[in-house]
Amino acid sequence: MTRSRVFRSLALVSGLLLLAACGPSKSTQALFKARNAIQVAEVADAAKKRPYELTLAKEYYVKAKEEAGYSKFELSEKLAKQALEFAKVAAGETSPVATPIPDDESK
Amino acid sequence: MRLRSASLVALFLSLAALAACGNPINVRARQDALKIEIAKATELGAKDCAPEEFAKSQAQMDFAIIEIEQGDYIRAEDHLEEGFRMAKAAQRGAKNCSRAIVVKATPKPTVVVVLTPTPKPTAIIILVTPTPTPVVIIKETPTPTPTPATPTPTPDVTKIDSDGDGTPDLQDDCPGDVGPLANRGCPVRDADNDGVPDGNDECPTVPGFAAFKGCPPPDKDKDGVVDSADNCIDQVGPVTNKGCPELKFIVINKETKRIELKQTIHFASGKAIILADSFGILDEVAKVMRENTTMEVRIEGHTDSDGPATANLALSKARADSVRAYLAKSGVGPARMRAVGLGETSPLGENRTNEGKSINRRVEFHITKD
């Protein structure tokens, strides 16, 4: 193997490593945001006011962490983002994206 | 005989291994069963009475769907099992909970007739009176009602899940499309496939980053070098030059606030006459200054230590003036340039050697205003 070939291979491996490093950082960022949002929701008394949404947020957050543990960073990021959305609803920051289901009218 | 028993053991082990990997058919069947349990819980009002358990059962159902999509049936089974446990807990919680029926008061009294699907028709009439506080009166009448006599069993709308995605139609905003509960039963669309769902994507057709709301990072001069890495956000330039125009003789260094020259400006010996081989450098400086209309510079002339200091000072000033005049002639406003002569006071190299002297004989451009 010539020296230039070795360098080329090294460059390729470095590039791939750099690319692979993007996944974890995005996922970690999303997890961090979700965790913060859940904390905000808890402070906003979501456990009493919107326990359904708060529980969903927590469940999705736990699952997102689990997926990150399996190195499924893309899926982890998606789940964490969903946890964030639920946490925002739980905190009363946003209303559910879709039209409320009939049961919600009684709240 | 020994070979036969070995084959049987191998077959048994293979079957055991296959069973351990999770059976897709069983998992699908259990998924359907969990759907029914969740629908039952919904019907019992578990969302209000046991919201945590109900949410957990739904989340586990979502996760099971994700795992099935990923082909991991073992983890899907785990989620389904937990989902079952939670759905049952939600049902128990709902049964122990007295469901409050709140009927909104309307200006005119309304009558709602509900037929129960029993062999003998029984009607429950709910009268709602328009009082300030909602009042619910429930009466049971054993006699048949004027409404259609045959009490055909009405389908339980809470259980209907047209697209089979685990989200009952009542909660499903897209009953014709498969989607997770988290997205109200709608598919998560991402037209540009950048990982940011279209609903949150301000540039749904252009791949981007979540940090920029699904849009590509800003690039004001559209030179392909994002603004955060672009030293010249208003000028087109290659990434190799940090987004700044590729210049042959000079470099705009915004950190040191200098226009750095790749070549020395040559003057006639002992005079302030610029030699023709340096016109290219000054033309480039003039071009940059014409393009950056707010840029102002201080032109410094420097000499080596040969000869009297006062003469050197005068020569350096004359050379700086000469450069200023050349640039002014090339279209740069004279008011934007100040020429100073520093003589031999700021040497960069040793004045004892020819090489050092050559370094010290120079003209510098300092950016005083961007």
Side-chain angles (χ1 to χ4, degrees):
Chain A
M1 194 183 267
T2 60
R3 185 175 280 187
S4 65
R5 223 176 191 187
V6 172
F7 280 126
R8 228 179 291 159
S9 305
L10 275 175
L12 183 69
V13 169
S14 310
L16 286 172
L17 281 174
L18 275 174
L19 270 178
C22 296
S25 68
K26 281 169 82 179
S27 159
T28 309
Q29 203 180 6
L31 278 167
F32 181 74
K33 280 184 185 173
R35 193 188 65 190
N36 278 358
I38 289 170
Q39 282 171 353
V40 168
E42 280 174 337
V43 170
D45 211 13
K48 279 185 187 169
K49 291 177 187 167
R50 286 176 180 264
Y52 173 73
E53 287 81 2
L54 182 66
T55 309
L56 278 175
K58 285 179 175 176
E59 289 289 303
Y60 268 77
Y61 174 68
V62 170
K63 181 70 178 163
K65 277 209 308 187
E66 186 188 314
E67 293 302 332
Y70 285 105
S71 300
K72 291 183 179 174
F73 298 112
E74 202 178 328
L75 179 58
S76 166
E77 191 194 349
K78 279 184 184 176
L79 289 163
K81 280 181 180 171
Q82 196 54 61
L84 175 70
E85 293 305 314
F86 281 131
K88 280 181 181 173
V89 177
E93 281 179 32
T94 52
S95 52
V97 183
T99 47
I101 53 173
D103 284 359
D104 281 347
E105 286 180 359
S106 61
K107 283 185 182 171
Chain B
M1 186 65 192
R2 188 177 278 181
L3 188 69
R4 215 176 199 186
S5 53
S7 307
L8 278 172
V9 168
L11 181 68
F12 176 76
L13 285 174
S14 308
L15 285 171
L18 195 66
C21 285
N23 184 337
I25 299 164
N26 282 350
V27 172
R28 299 263 183 207
R30 280 180 67 75
Q31 185 194 342
D32 290 340
L34 178 56
K35 268 185 212 170
I36 293 166
E37 292 303 323
I38 290 174
K40 273 185 199 168
T42 310
E43 193 183 1
L44 289 166
K47 194 184 172 201
D48 293 323
C49 294
E52 287 179 22
E53 290 82 357
F54 185 64
K56 282 179 182 174
S57 67
Q58 286 189 320
Q60 294 299 326
M61 178 70 161
D62 278 357
F63 302 154
I65 292 171
I66 290 170
E67 296 299 354
I68 290 168
E69 279 171 5
Q70 305 254 327
D72 194 335
Y73 291 99
I74 294 175
R75 286 175 74 193
E77 270 184 358
D78 289 346
H79 284 302
L80 289 172
E81 199 178 317
E82 181 64 11
F84 265 109
R85 215 170 60 77
M86 285 299 138
K88 291 284 181 193
Q91 287 171 15
R92 279 196 301 276
K95 278 175 191 165
N96 297 333
C97 161
S98 57
R99 291 180 68 188
I101 304 166
V102 178
V103 182
K104 283 181 181 171
T106 50
K108 286 179 183 176
T110 53
V111 178
V112 181
V113 181
V114 181
L115 276 177
T116 55
T118 51
K120 285 185 181 178
T122 308
I124 299 169
I125 298 175
I126 303 170
L127 296 175
V128 184
T129 58
T131 51
T133 49
V135 176
V136 179
I137 304 162
I138 298 174
K139 281 184 181 177
E140 280 195 32
T141 55
T143 50
T145 60
T147 47
T150 46
T152 49
T154 49
D156 188 348
V157 288
T158 59
K159 285 182 185 174
I160 299 171
D161 180 11
S162 308
D163 53 13
D165 62 359
T167 308
D169 285 359
L170 269 180
Q171 298 176 31
D172 198 332
D173 287 344
C174 307
D177 292 317
V178 175
L181 169 74
N183 204 34
R184 299 265 178 198
C186 290
V188 180
R189 297 193 197 282
D190 180 12
D192 53 11
N193 210 21
D194 61 357
V196 182
D198 287 354
N200 301 331
D201 199 332
E202 286 184 5
C203 307
T205 54
V206 185
F209 296 93
F212 298 102
K213 294 180 180 173
C215 293
D219 177 14
K220 199 176 169 191
D221 53 13
K222 309 261 182 253
D223 60 358
V225 184
V226 295
D227 288 354
S228 58
D230 196 333
N231 279 356
C232 307
I233 56 167
D234 294 317
Q235 296 173 62
V236 176
V239 67
T240 48
N241 203 35
K242 293 184 178 174
C244 290
E246 195 113 75
L247 299 166
K248 199 174 166 188
F249 302 110
I250 64 171
V251 175
I252 314 295
N253 191 332
K254 290 199 172 175
E255 282 173 23
T256 58
K257 295 196 168 183
R258 294 270 292 271
I259 298 175
E260 292 168 355
L261 309 183
K262 293 177 186 172
Q263 289 176 24
T264 314
I265 297 173
H266 294 135
F267 295 90
S269 180
K271 294 178 182 172
I273 299 165
I274 303 165
L275 297 183
D277 67 341
S278 297
F279 290 166
I281 304 169
L282 293 176
D283 287 343
E284 218 164 68
V285 174
K287 182 174 175 274
V288 167
M289 289 199 67
R290 280 196 306 268
E291 284 171 359
N292 297 276
T293 51
T294 55
M295 184 188 275
E296 290 180 12
V297 294
R298 183 177 72 248
I299 304 162
E300 288 182 1
H302 298 266
T303 63
D304 57 25
S305 62
D306 284 357
T310 48
N312 285 336
L313 200 65
L315 179 62
S316 62
K317 174 71 167 90
R319 285 180 170 174
D321 281 338
S322 189
V323 168
R324 182 172 175 268
Y326 185 95
L327 295 176
K329 210 175 149 188
S330 303
V332 182
R336 295 167 57 201
M337 299 175 285
R338 193 161 71 90
V340 291
L342 296 173
E344 58 188 67
T345 58
S346 304
L348 291 178
E350 288 284 345
N351 274 315
R352 283 175 299 183
T353 62
N354 284 336
E355 198 187 347
K357 283 178 189 172
S358 167
I359 294 168
N360 291 337
R361 291 190 296 271
R362 68 194 189 274
V363 171
E364 288 178 0
F365 293 89
H366 294 258
I367 301 167
T368 52
K369 192 180 166 191
D370 261 339

